[in-house]
Amino acid sequence: MMKSFYPVMSLFLLLLSATCSATVQNAADCAAVGTLVSSCTKFVNYGYPDPIPGSSCCDAMTVIGTYSDSSDKRKWLCNCFMELINVYNSNATAISTLSGFCGVVLGFTIDPNTDCNFIQ
């Protein structure tokens, strides 16, 4: 059974703010990624309905995709997703499929085993 996404969102945002990146600005931006992904809560928690382009979930993923326009930003974004996966480990598969369902290219694979240091 998957963990509930909303009750621990504030904990996630707090953890993400503290650990996602070195600067306060990047931590705040990383928390914004978590907030955007929260629009995919139903899919992440229950595995349905599949996100489709035009849904609020895919619209959020499209916004996240705009953050990946350079190597440094892709590494940063990758670290944000890794923190998200660490917090919601039982939901990692659902989180890792979001960009694919939505047709959003991030420039890296969202996967618990991704090493963000090697993102180009």
Side-chain angles (χ1 to χ4, degrees), residues 51-68:
I52 57 171
S55 67
S56 60
C57 175
C58 287
D59 289 346
M61 290 304 295
T62 299
V63 170
I64 291 171
T66 66
Y67 296 171
S68 64

Side-chain angles (χ1 to χ4, degrees), residues 56-85:
S56 60
C57 175
C58 287
D59 289 346
M61 290 304 295
T62 299
V63 170
I64 291 171
T66 66
Y67 296 171
S68 64
D69 62 354
S70 73
S71 179
D72 287 341
K73 289 180 182 178
R74 282 189 292 278
K75 287 179 184 176
W76 165 81
L77 188 58
C78 177
N79 283 311
C80 291
F81 272 101
M82 293 308 107
E83 288 297 325
L84 187 63
I85 285 173

Side-chain angles (χ1 to χ4, degrees), residues 23-101:
T23 68
V24 173
Q25 181 62 44
N26 283 344
D29 291 343
C30 212
V33 170
T35 300
L36 286 165
V37 171
S38 73
S39 67
C40 305
T41 298
K42 197 174 221 180
F43 175 73
V44 169
N45 282 337
Y46 306 110
Y48 65 87
D50 290 349
I52 57 171
S55 67
S56 60
C57 175
C58 287
D59 289 346
M61 290 304 295
T62 299
V63 170
I64 291 171
T66 66
Y67 296 171
S68 64
D69 62 354
S70 73
S71 179
D72 287 341
K73 289 180 182 178
R74 282 189 292 278
K75 287 179 184 176
W76 165 81
L77 188 58
C78 177
N79 283 311
C80 291
F81 272 101
M82 293 308 107
E83 288 297 325
L84 187 63
I85 285 173
N86 285 334
V87 172
Y88 301 105
N89 193 281
S90 64
N91 306 69
T93 300
I95 293 167
S96 64
T97 61
L98 289 172
S99 62
F101 270 114

